[in-house]
Amino acid sequence: MSMPEILKPALYAAQGTAALPDHPSLKGGKCQCGYVFFPLQAYGCEVCGRTGDALQPVALSGGGTLIASATVHIHAGRTPPARADVKPHAAPFTIGSVKLDDGPTVRTLLVDVDGRTLKPGRGW
């Protein structure tokens, strides 16, 4: 199986995790207090405020449970300034909030989905 091109290498890695070795992983972080977050950042823990060596990189599997979803039917389709290489999504497209098995909740573009099968609580 060939790996897809990683479009945002600061957020994703081609190498998977033990839980999902055949899928790219998310580059998250973990604080000494146990809080797990995505994306990786060095500003400080949202829970305890620790910074520096207290925050360590961690690979997140990306598997989780769908919390909510919304289908966008009308979209302005603007390209972000200074990002001519970014192509806006053509409507309709679906965005979902997924509670990751590894901890954080992320919002993401859901691809190849049928709106009738998107139910909160569904594993992703």
Side-chain angles (χ1 to χ4, degrees):
M1 175 172 131
S2 67
M3 292 302 286
E5 177 187 1
I6 301 297
L7 299 176
K8 296 186 178 185
L11 298 177
Y12 312 97
Q15 181 178 356
T17 63
L20 290 172
D22 295 332
H23 298 281
S25 61
L26 303 174
K27 292 182 178 181
K30 184 172 185 176
C31 179
Q32 284 179 347
C33 74
Y35 181 69
V36 179
F37 51 90
F38 176 81
L40 179 61
Q41 51 84 14
Y43 300 114
C45 177
E46 295 175 28
V47 174
C48 71
R50 289 183 176 119
T51 60
D53 291 341
L55 306 177
Q56 296 296 315
V58 64
L60 306 174
S61 70
T65 303
L66 183 67
I67 296 172
S69 65
T71 299
V72 177
H73 294 280
I74 299 174
H75 186 252
R78 296 185 188 116
T79 300
R83 289 299 313 260
D85 60 320
V86 174
K87 304 292 184 248
H89 294 288
F93 57 90
T94 303
I95 301 294
S97 289
V98 177
K99 171 73 171 147
L100 298 179
D101 295 335
D102 298 317
T105 298
V106 297
R107 279 188 226 124
T108 185
L109 178 68
L110 303 177
V111 296
D112 299 328
V113 296
D114 177 351
R116 294 172 294 199
T117 64
L118 290 175
K119 303 279 187 243
R122 176 181 175 221
W124 208 259

